[in-house]
Amino acid sequence: MQRAISLLRLIASSNTRDLRLVDLAEGSGLNKSTAHRLLQCLLEERMLTRSRNGRGYRLGPLLYEFGLAALPAKSIKEIAHPHLCGVAEMTGDMTFLVARSGFETVCLDAIAGHFHVQTMTSGVGDRHPLGIGAGGQAILAALADSEIELVFEATRHQLRNYTQFSRQSILNDVARCRRRGYSLDENMAADGISAMGKVICVPGRIPVAAVFIATLSSRMQQTRRSKLARHLETCATAIERDVL
């Protein structure tokens, strides 16, 4: 089951969501024959479908059906949405909500601000390993060091696709996030784009999500950061309160 789920995660994390057998075998660390058998089973159970060109794999309809059945009475996206809208309105910048999903983050919501240039660094449904991006960085920094080691071990194959990051650079980002109280991603997601994030925790200080702002790096100057950090802090606190 863990091997099959690892394949589903890889497909869900792919920008194209159209990975081939060779890509999935390499990304999961499985040999091709094992990966092929698991993929065939997932196809039969409608958890995967073949891509239009017949060469790759995409998430299937059964996963969507499971997702509908698993939704809570009120999801964190519904709870967070008005607060994200408030941040986007006050800052003028693109505001995002990402949730923790195992050793990854998944983007749940993206709200455009009123500034004339909006930076869509993440789309709803996009997945990345924890530690990648301002949201993932904020969540990772809230974990214990022993848990961070588990994240590195679980995502080592995926992290090969993020050549601008390394284990040490991520650890350095975690240390800075802990000191500042917020995450900061400068020109890593894209040239000229910076993002700032704040973790959202449930009782027990368990990190479950993060809210972050992405904007032109020229708008993330030192004099403006404290103001943005306050907006994020207020937003995260309000979401945590409403979750309860």
Side-chain angles (χ1 to χ4, degrees):
M1 288 183 67
Q2 288 177 327
R3 291 175 176 178
I5 291 171
S6 73
L7 294 174
L8 293 173
R9 287 185 184 279
L10 282 173
I11 294 169
S13 301
S14 169
N15 288 332
T16 63
R17 297 183 177 86
D18 192 13
L19 296 179
R20 301 168 300 161
L21 170 61
V22 63
D23 303 318
L24 291 165
E26 181 179 353
S28 64
L30 300 173
N31 61 57
K32 288 185 181 179
S33 60
T34 299
H36 183 261
R37 288 197 301 272
L38 291 170
L39 291 168
Q40 289 302 116
C41 181
L42 292 170
L43 283 170
E44 292 172 7
E45 296 298 332
R46 298 171 55 246
M47 288 189 171
L48 292 179
T49 61
R50 299 304 298 261
S51 59
R52 292 180 181 177
N53 60 21
R55 297 178 181 176
Y57 298 86
R58 301 175 67 87
L59 297 181
L62 185 60
L63 291 175
Y64 175 74
E65 295 163 14
F66 282 166
L68 292 176
L71 286 175
K74 193 169 187 182
S75 68
I76 192 168
K77 176 182 176 179
E78 292 178 279
I79 293 169
H81 183 78
H83 301 297
L84 262 68
C85 290
V87 172
E89 176 62 28
M90 287 184 289
T91 65
D93 297 316
M94 201 81 195
T95 307
F96 301 84
L97 174 72
V98 295
R100 183 181 179 184
S101 175
F103 299 110
E104 299 174 312
T105 59
V106 58
C107 182
L108 299 183
D109 207 357
I111 309 298
H114 53 75
F115 185 63
H116 65 279
V117 177
Q118 294 295 294
T119 53
M120 195 70 176
T121 58
S122 187
V124 173
D126 285 356
R127 303 178 72 96
H128 299 286
L130 285 173
I132 302 299
Q137 185 188 129
I139 295 172
L140 190 68
L143 297 176
D145 290 344
S146 58
E147 292 179 286
I148 291 176
E149 288 303 315
L150 291 176
V151 172
F152 280 131
E153 176 63 23
T155 60
R156 65 186 187 280
H157 295 294
Q158 291 170 268
L159 288 173
R160 295 173 185 170
N161 298 321
Y162 298 84
T163 55
Q164 70 271 46
F165 294 91
S166 68
R167 173 191 172 93
Q168 191 56 53
S169 73
I170 293 173
L171 288 174
N172 291 342
D173 287 337
V174 163
R176 285 190 286 266
C177 180
R178 288 172 172 175
R179 288 196 302 269
R180 287 186 300 243
Y182 60 83
S183 65
L184 189 63
D185 183 329
E186 298 182 281
N187 303 303
M188 295 298 282
D191 289 339
I193 304 299
S194 293
M196 176 187 289
K198 182 69 179 179
V199 70
I200 297 167
C201 296
V202 296
R205 298 307 300 167
I206 300 171
V208 296
V211 57
F212 73 92
I213 296 166
T215 188
L216 299 177
S217 295
S218 59
R219 285 173 59 78
M220 195 69 80
Q221 67 271 31
Q222 188 65 46
T223 54
R224 191 168 183 254
R225 288 180 188 174
S226 59
K227 181 179 180 180
L228 295 178
R230 287 195 298 272
H231 286 313
L232 288 173
E233 176 72 31
T234 300
C235 179
T237 300
I239 295 170
E240 290 173 348
R241 178 199 64 219
D242 289 354
V243 165
L244 296 177

